[in-house]
Amino acid sequence: MTNAILTGLMLGGMYALIAMGLTLQYGVARIMNLSYGEFLVAAAFASYWLFTGWALNPLVGLAVVVPTGFGVSMILYRVLLTPLVRRAPTRDALEVDSILATFGMMFIVQGIMLTMFGGAYFSYSFLSIPVAVLGETLALNRLIAFGLAVLFGVALYLALTRTRFGTAIRAVAVDPAAARLVAIDVTWISAFAFAIGGALVAAAGVLISMFLTFSASSGVVFTMKALIVVVMGGVGNLLGCLVAGLALGLSESLVATFVDPGLTLAVNFALFLGVLLVKPAGLFGRAQR
Amino acid sequence: MVSSVTRLAAGLVAIAGVASFSVGPALAQTSVKIGYALSRTGPNAGGAAVTTLPNYEMWVKEVNAAGGLKIGDKRVPIEIVQYDDRSSAEEAAKALDRLITQDKVDFILPPWGTGLNLAVGPILNKAGYPHLAATAVTDRAPELAKRWPNSFWLLGTSAGAANTLVELLVKLRGEGKIGDTVAMVSVADGFGIDLSGAARPALAKANFKLAYDKTYPVGTQDLSPLVNEAKALNPDVFIAFSYPPDTLGLTEQARIAGFNPKIFYTGVGTAFPLFKGKFGANAEGVMGIGGWNGDSPAIKDYLARHKAASANGAEPDRWASSVTYASLQMLQQAIERVGKIDRAAVIKDLQTGTFDTVIGKVKFENNLPTKYWWVGQWQGGEFYGVGPATNEGARAPIIPKPAWKAQ
């Protein structure tokens, strides 16, 4: 039982980590980023490349990859997405336009990775050491990823709730039109939120590359998972993202241990549908309109 | 007026005639057009990139470096036309249609994987192209070979894979090296369903106790519940009919959890160079599907050429890679023996001839080879074939598997 709960928590932490960036990109900037998983895999490749080519520890690699993720996302938003934002008459229209634009981006990023690394699977060993927690054996790299996911989550939560800038971001997420009335620069805040999302997805990619096997084509799996977690938690809500991620991870692990490993996907979707039936806006989402 | 039109037409006909006379025969002999559609993107890309593409590229490079395929008394270089089937059966079918009707290629190399080979089987059969399926494992192979006489199923049947594994277990139990308890997990997809389906009755018939038998969905990201459950039952044998990411995940998790059964067998991916690269000394003693005669000079030479041919010195996988390359050698020998682009004759030659390849002499019986490697084991950094034990070059398995080392 302890083991099932511990592994479930770690898996859930990973799901939350994957989804945190998307909740900012989708919830605040209203960009439904379909190339999200590809950026995650790109960060995993960057980490792999730094580790095998330059012997740079992935945890140190974070210091390189995360700012790069921030910068690349900022440039993307400024160059590729700002015209869409300007042109879109409503936020709903922007959502549709961004789906099409980022769908194209998905192929570009994937194509670049395929040219650079080929289609093969990649995996490396880093801190794959057993450690005892509450009498159970866990892998150190997963534990570190979980710890950092919690750290990022808490830091981001505090930044969003305790700072003036965070309040502005939340204001844009809730009502961009009204935010403009109180002198919030919505375009700038959106770009910033999108870039933080990019930094978070880069961090997730680096951490996940320590223990998962990935290939240039595995991005879509992460996009799907992130989307489920974000929608289930309530779009744009960080706390919801954490709770939904943990709920999914725990349910998967408990079902795999006590019922049947073959049912994990079914339980995932049952939970997802169940939440949406009871709370259509997600666990922590506020019903709008 | 009329005469000028007639003259113009006559002139055009003459020019066309001359053009076709001068260009036509020359075109037919300057190259042999070979086409293929491979999964460059999508879920199959990982397997195709390791097992199939490097061999296709290496073979074409080698043949062209030697001047080309020997057609009659001339050498004719190979010209390649290739597409991405995006891991989809529809795309693969479309690409093959295009290769046949528009590109008019002389020969077609098969796609990667069981599903896509089954999907393109009827197309190749209808168009009369030889189909050397080098990466398909299906229990319908004998039946398909009858229905499509142009098709050759080089990896055999999943029942063959499962039965060979069980035979080996029976032998080891007889020698007192292992006990009765088996834990089995399998991926809930074509490969896992087929193999576990074949293994269950075989294990039961041999009086093994299947203490744990669970499937998991494709793409499961945390396999620790499975490993922990299996470990709690303390089996002698752990069998996983898994795909490459799960193969790596299960092995990693077993090492972390200190789950160290006497036999640790994993599925697709165990024979990949990536496996050795990731686990290093911990790969020692791990068994998996596939294998090759690592001591044979032909295989050693093939390994060296493969490393030299690929840009980053990549090694082949120790199962279907060498079979894929052998299938290309067979196609080449059949074409050269026929001496012209005559697909029906090439198919006939494949059915009846004997071929000298990197995996030894191969002769088809009812369009199926007679020898397969089904169980391999990492021994001293090489993945040697250990089953069937009657194969030439089969090594004795190391039992029990050495304990996992702290990395």
Side-chain angles (χ1 to χ4, degrees):
Chain A
M1 188 68 188
T2 332
N3 202 316
I5 290 177
L6 281 178
T7 50
L9 277 177
M10 300 226 295
L11 186 63
M14 185 183 103
Y15 289 162
L17 175 68
I18 292 174
M20 264 192 278
L22 189 66
T23 206
L24 285 181
Q25 295 191 337
Y26 185 32
V28 181
R30 277 292 159 200
I31 303 293
M32 178 62 257
N33 189 358
L34 286 185
S35 61
Y36 187 79
E38 270 64 31
F39 280 97
L40 190 141
V41 175
F45 269 115
S47 175
Y48 173 86
W49 182 66
L50 288 173
F51 183 64
T52 53
W54 302 73
L56 197 61
N57 177 330
L59 296 176
V60 182
L62 278 175
V64 180
V65 181
V66 171
T68 311
F70 184 89
V72 168
S73 302
M74 184 59 101
I75 293 168
L76 266 181
Y77 190 86
R78 282 301 188 187
V79 176
L80 186 76
L81 298 170
T82 306
L84 295 184
V85 177
R86 291 236 174 82
R87 206 174 49 204
T90 62
R91 301 206 102 195
D92 292 338
L94 174 59
E95 229 172 283
V96 175
D97 286 354
S98 70
I99 286 178
L100 296 176
T102 55
F103 190 55
M105 205 145 75
M106 178 182 94
F107 290 109
I108 296 173
V109 178
Q110 208 181 75
I112 293 172
M113 290 192 293
L114 279 167
T115 331
M116 284 178 69
F117 295 97
Y121 292 108
F122 286 84
S123 183
Y124 60 92
S125 273
F126 176 71
L127 289 185
S128 169
I129 302 165
V131 281
V133 179
L134 301 175
E136 304 291 344
T137 316
L138 299 173
L140 183 58
N141 48 21
R142 276 183 189 260
L143 206 60
I144 289 178
F146 177 72
L148 286 176
V150 172
L151 191 73
F152 292 152
V154 169
L156 202 63
Y157 180 76
L158 291 178
L160 284 179
T161 49
R162 299 290 150 83
T163 66
R164 209 179 148 78
F165 195 70
T167 313
I169 290 183
R170 284 186 297 133
V172 173
V174 174
D175 191 340
R180 232 179 274 278
L181 297 178
V182 290
I184 293 174
D185 186 342
V186 174
T187 323
W188 164 238
I189 293 279
S190 296
F192 199 77
F194 187 82
I196 296 182
L200 281 171
V201 73
V206 171
L207 293 174
I208 282 168
S209 75
M210 299 194 303
F211 52 87
L212 276 192
T213 304
F214 54 94
S215 74
S217 341
S218 51
V220 62
V221 181
F222 297 109
T223 309
M224 289 291 291
K225 208 86 207 188
L227 203 57
I228 289 177
V229 175
V230 165
V231 171
M232 191 170 144
V235 174
N237 190 305
L238 206 66
L239 203 61
C241 187
L242 283 174
V243 173
L246 290 178
L248 285 178
L250 271 178
S251 65
E252 255 189 52
S253 163
L254 290 174
V255 167
T257 309
F258 297 108
V259 190
D260 192 306
L263 290 176
T264 50
L265 265 189
V267 166
N268 248 332
F269 282 105
L271 197 65
F272 179 55
L273 287 176
V275 166
L276 289 193
L277 280 176
V278 180
K279 295 204 69 172
L283 286 173
F284 288 74
R286 245 171 262 124
Q288 292 173 352
R289 277 163 250 156
Chain B
M1 190 67 187
V2 174
S3 75
S4 71
V5 171
T6 325
R7 244 180 299 160
L8 183 66
L12 282 175
V13 167
I15 292 167
V18 169
S20 71
F21 264 106
S22 59
V23 179
L27 248 185
Q29 284 174 14
T30 47
S31 73
V32 178
K33 255 187 167 183
I34 294 185
Y36 56 80
L38 270 186
S39 305
R40 306 300 286 260
T41 54
N44 287 358
V50 174
T51 306
T52 305
L53 187 64
N55 286 301
Y56 286 3
E57 289 181 343
M58 176 175 146
W59 176 69
V60 171
K61 213 156 93 182
E62 283 176 349
V63 170
N64 283 345
L69 289 169
K70 198 156 179 299
I71 306 284
D73 46 10
K74 260 168 94 179
R75 287 207 172 264
V76 184
I78 296 173
E79 185 192 336
I80 285 293
V81 187
Q82 55 171 317
Y83 297 108
D84 176 9
D85 62 35
R86 306 214 311 258
S87 305
S88 124
E90 294 84 57
E91 286 295 323
K94 259 192 263 171
L96 255 61
D97 267 340
R98 197 187 155 86
L99 284 171
I100 294 165
T101 56
Q102 276 178 272
D103 303 318
K104 299 201 182 346
V105 296
D106 298 310
F107 291 98
I108 290 177
L109 305 181
W112 179 89
T114 309
L116 289 188
N117 269 296
L118 292 178
V120 302
I123 300 170
L124 290 173
N125 180 56
K126 201 170 153 210
Y129 282 79
H131 179 193
L132 286 150
T135 51
V137 178
T138 165
D139 276 336
R140 290 167 58 209
E143 174 202 333
L144 290 172
K146 259 191 221 113
R147 194 192 309 164
W148 304 326
N150 64 314
S151 69
F152 304 87
W153 302 83
L154 286 104
L155 281 195
T157 65
S158 39
N163 290 333
T164 307
L165 177 61
V166 175
E167 270 165 36
L168 183 74
L169 296 182
V170 170
K171 181 168 163 275
L172 292 168
R173 186 179 53 184
E175 292 167 6
K177 287 184 175 156
I178 58 169
D180 266 338
T181 338
V182 178
M184 180 168 85
V185 302
S186 51
V187 62
D189 195 39
F191 173 80
I193 294 169
D194 256 31
L195 272 104
S196 59
R200 254 173 233 121
L203 285 168
K205 210 173 137 209
N207 289 320
F208 276 100
K209 204 166 76 204
L210 197 52
Y212 187 71
D213 175 11
K214 290 285 160 78
T215 62
Y216 59 88
V218 182
T220 298
Q221 277 153 351
D222 190 1
L223 297 150
S224 48
L226 287 134
V227 171
N228 292 333
E229 288 294 298
K231 187 193 174 196
L233 297 162
N234 193 25
D236 295 290
V237 180
F238 178 74
I239 299 173
F241 294 119
S242 49
Y243 280 151
D246 339 330
T247 296
L248 294 168
L250 285 164
T251 311
E252 177 93 332
Q253 197 53 47
R255 196 177 66 73
I256 295 287
F259 172 44
N260 204 52
K262 294 193 179 80
I263 289 184
F264 188 84
Y265 170 100
T266 44
V268 188
T270 319
F272 283 11
L274 172 68
F275 191 92
K276 185 178 69 168
K278 183 176 166 76
F279 294 109
N282 267 316
E284 184 72 9
V286 173
M287 286 193 184
I289 193 161
W292 69 14
N293 179 2
D295 294 328
S296 107
I299 284 291
K300 281 188 174 157
D301 177 53
Y302 164 69
L303 176 61
R305 278 187 290 142
H306 191 288
K307 270 161 93 168
S310 57
N312 46 359
E315 292 188 359
D317 89 72
R318 266 79 165 158
W319 180 27
S321 270
S322 55
V323 176
T324 301
Y325 186 81
S327 77
L328 299 170
Q329 290 182 305
M330 293 161 84
L331 180 66
Q332 176 178 2
Q333 286 165 27
I335 294 171
E336 292 183 347
R337 280 203 288 245
V338 168
K340 56 182 182 218
I341 306 298
D342 179 347
R343 287 186 285 270
V346 168
I347 292 169
K348 187 93 200 139
D349 189 80
L350 283 167
Q351 288 167 340
T352 53
T354 306
F355 300 89
D356 203 8
T357 73
V358 290
I359 54 170
K361 286 228 183 305
V362 180
K363 181 169 170 34
F364 287 119
E365 269 175 31
N366 302 321
N367 287 25
L368 300 173
T370 48
K371 250 187 351 191
Y372 307 94
W373 281 111
W374 280 128
V375 189
Q377 185 179 40
W378 285 103
Q379 298 183 0
E382 183 51 76
F383 193 70
Y384 288 99
V386 296
T390 49
N391 277 6
E392 192 192 331
R395 285 228 177 171
I398 298 172
I399 309 293
K401 183 190 101 52
W404 303 110
K405 294 169 191 65
Q407 202 131 320

